Each structure stands twice: as structure tokens, then as C-alpha cells.
Amino acid sequence: MTPGQLRLAFAGTPDLAAYVLERLLTDTEHEIRMVFTQPDRPAGRGRKPRPGPVKQLALKYELNLSQPQSGADLADSTGLEQLDAMIVVAYGLIIPPAVLQAPALGCINIHTSLLPRWRGAAPIQRAIQYGDHETGVTLMKMDAGLDTGPVIAQTRCPIAADETAGSLHDKLAVLGAGILIETLPRIADGSAEAVEQDDTRANYADKITKQEARIDWQERADVLERTIRAFNPAPVAHACLNGQELRIWEANCDMDNGASRAPGKIIAVANSGIVVACGKGRLILKRLQLPGKKPVAVAELLNGRPAFLQT
């Protein structure tokens, strides 16, 4: 071990976690002694078990890999007490108190929100959905609560007007890896101060469901536009127009012009977009997906089906 080199465990599952793990492996001298990730899940048309991004990366680098089925199984892991810290990024399992306390420096979590703004499973999506102008990444020492631990460091990120959950995810992954790598030496030498959160400012970012991705045309157009961006790339907003089921990948809103028809009725169809009446304002659909087809721009869709959704 060289000065400043830490003995680490890593717990995470999706792309965000894999990006951070690879940065630790390639951009630092810290030693990743153990990797924990969720069990393989069924995916694709055949619903065969598929390894997640962290598992794939751990296999690539030939790391010591474990896939506990539960928090209790994780608590049975040996060797954690010999480590300096465990880095946790979107792991997906509740970490038992015994594990939180096992490494010398505890468990350090990267959370994609400016805590305590959005605690919970979907902080990226909720920040966009509810119209936040900025978000960021929090480095936190984990405790037994849900994203309630003291804050070690934060970095901020503006939310662009056309931001999707996918584009924001990628920005926050870079920021998260950066702030972790920058702060780990100060955590190790004890100079990083951990500040308790103000619980009165906390909101809970519930897990996204497919049901709430169903468009309600009675809503305001600006609310629907944010919802569409928040649910891109998953689970993707969907709706029924003139009896046709559609997934909506991109839309703009027009709040200056009132709807000339009842909510959910089509006002105009053109290559520039399909205009739909909402509870207030209009939504201009720009990129759509028909069942069994790929997402395409409205102009391309109309080129192949000129009478599509004509009023």
C-alpha cells in the first residue's frame, strides 16, 4: 500500500455505478478488493438472466465479485472489517447497520441530488419532472436512514431546458466520479467535514412506475413536457391519440396559445410536429414510437404514413 492508497469495497449495479467503478480503477491507485452487485435479472425478449453493468465490468477486470440476494446475505460477507471504506453507488439493496460500520471509514455513497432536496430511488427523474433548475451530486457518509447521512461534499449542475433523464444521468456520472476521487484523500486523512442534513428540506423521489408514464391530457402542457423528458429513456411516456397507442420521446409545449379543442384532441398535424390540446396550453409531439417500431421524428413518420393521425 502506498500513502493515500485505500483498500475499498464497491457496491453498485447500473451504468452510473459502473462508470464510477471504472474511474476508480483507471484514474486512482486505490485497491478495489471486493465488488458487490445485484443478482442477474431477466431481460430481453427471452427473459434470460443478464448481468448488470457493474458485474460485466468486474468480470472484465477480474475483480473479486459477489452477488448477495439480500442485505442479510451482504452482512454475512467476510473481510469488510479489514477495509478502509465501501463506496456505494445505486446498489439497490438496503445495507445493514453491521456493514455500514464494518470498514474503518464507513460506507461512502454517491447520490445524484443536492441532498436533502431529493432522497430516494429516482432523484434525476424527479428533479426534471418537478421543474428544478439545478441539481447535482452529493457525497455522503451512509447511516441507517434512506439517504439521510451527513454530507461530505457536493457539486452542482444546471438542468438545461431540453434535459432528459438520460442526458442528466451522464453528466452526473462524470461529476460523481470526479467528486469522489477528489474527496477520498481528505476522507482518508480526516480533513473532510461531514455536515448533518436539514430534514425539513427533504423530499422523497419515489421509484418511477410505468403507470405514471401514461399521459393525462387534462394536465398542463408544460407539466407533460417535463414528464416526457423525465421519463426518457425509461420507462418512456406513452399515450393514446385517435385510437393509436404511442410512446412519446420528445415534445415541446406552447403555453401562450389556448387549446381550441378538448384535452387529448389533435389540433394540427405537420412535419414540424403533432399539436395536441391539453388542460392548459398545447403539446407539440416531435419524436414518436409506434408499437414494435423504432423511435422516429414526426417528419419521418408522416413521410411513410402521410395520413397518420390526421384530424
Side-chain angles (χ1 to χ4, degrees):
M1 298 287 291
T2 60
Q5 184 182 12
L6 298 176
R7 300 161 299 179
L8 302 175
F10 186 92
T13 302
D15 287 321
L16 174 69
Y19 178 85
V20 174
L21 175 58
E22 188 153 34
R23 287 285 303 277
L24 284 171
L25 291 166
T26 59
D27 296 359
T28 78
E29 295 183 354
H30 302 306
E31 183 181 359
I32 308 297
R33 292 196 173 184
M34 308 170 75
V35 173
F36 299 98
T37 192
Q38 286 209 43
D40 300 355
R41 305 297 187 196
R45 291 186 177 180
R47 306 304 295 167
K48 294 182 178 180
R50 181 180 299 175
V54 165
K55 179 176 179 178
Q56 295 178 45
L57 189 66
L59 293 174
K60 172 184 173 182
Y61 284 92
E62 299 181 339
L63 301 174
N64 181 15
L65 176 67
S66 179
Q67 295 179 272
Q69 294 283 342
S70 66
D73 291 338
L74 177 62
D76 290 336
S77 302
T78 59
L80 287 171
E81 65 282 352
Q82 300 171 12
L83 303 182
D84 295 305
M86 181 159 79
I87 308 303
V88 182
V89 187
Y91 180 31
L93 286 182
I94 295 176
I95 298 178
V99 176
L100 295 175
Q101 300 164 10
L105 300 171
C107 294
I108 310 300
N109 176 237
I110 292 178
H111 185 76
T112 49
S113 169
L114 295 173
L115 288 172
R117 171 57 178 159
W118 289 112
R119 296 172 177 172
I124 295 175
Q125 294 92 334
R126 299 307 180 189
I128 295 173
Q129 184 182 13
Y130 286 91
D132 292 4
H133 295 294
E134 72 169 358
T135 185
V137 173
T138 298
L139 202 61
M140 170 190 68
K141 183 170 183 179
M142 298 180 71
D143 61 14
L146 179 62
D147 302 325
T148 57
V151 172
I152 300 170
Q154 288 185 323
T155 185
R156 312 181 88 84
C157 176
I159 298 177
D162 61 350
E163 201 84 70
T164 66
S167 64
L168 187 55
H169 166 281
D170 293 347
K171 293 177 182 178
L172 296 180
V174 174
L175 291 177
I179 197 172
L180 175 67
I181 292 170
E182 176 186 335
T183 310
L184 273 175
R186 295 195 295 112
I187 295 174
D189 66 23
S191 63
E193 181 184 3
V195 179
E196 296 294 332
Q197 296 185 40
D198 180 359
D199 293 341
T200 64
R201 297 173 48 233
N203 300 279
Y204 184 70
D206 294 290
K207 184 178 179 180
I208 301 297
T209 66
K210 290 185 178 181
Q211 289 76 17
E212 65 179 308
R214 185 74 175 177
I215 291 295
D216 179 1
W217 297 110
Q218 299 289 338
E219 278 279 12
R220 292 169 52 100
D222 53 351
V223 171
L224 294 179
E225 186 270 342
R226 292 198 306 267
T227 298
I228 290 165
R229 290 189 287 114
F231 295 170
N232 177 351
V236 186
H238 54 98
C240 182
L241 279 176
N242 281 7
Q244 175 67 63
E245 286 292 330
L246 298 167
R247 302 177 89 193
I248 305 173
W249 286 85
E250 182 183 349
N252 295 332
C253 65
D254 177 7
M255 299 302 296
D256 295 329
N257 293 303
S260 57
R261 298 194 180 186
K265 297 299 182 180
I266 296 173
I267 297 172
V269 177
N271 285 342
S272 58
I274 297 170
V275 184
V276 184
C278 301
K280 184 174 183 181
R282 305 174 176 188
L283 196 67
I284 303 98
L285 309 183
K286 309 291 287 187
R287 189 172 183 82
L288 302 173
Q289 182 180 12
L290 294 173
K293 303 295 183 180
K294 295 181 179 179
V296 294
V298 164
E300 183 178 345
L301 183 62
L302 294 178
N303 184 51
R305 302 177 62 175
F308 180 70
L309 295 183
Q310 289 289 348
T311 57

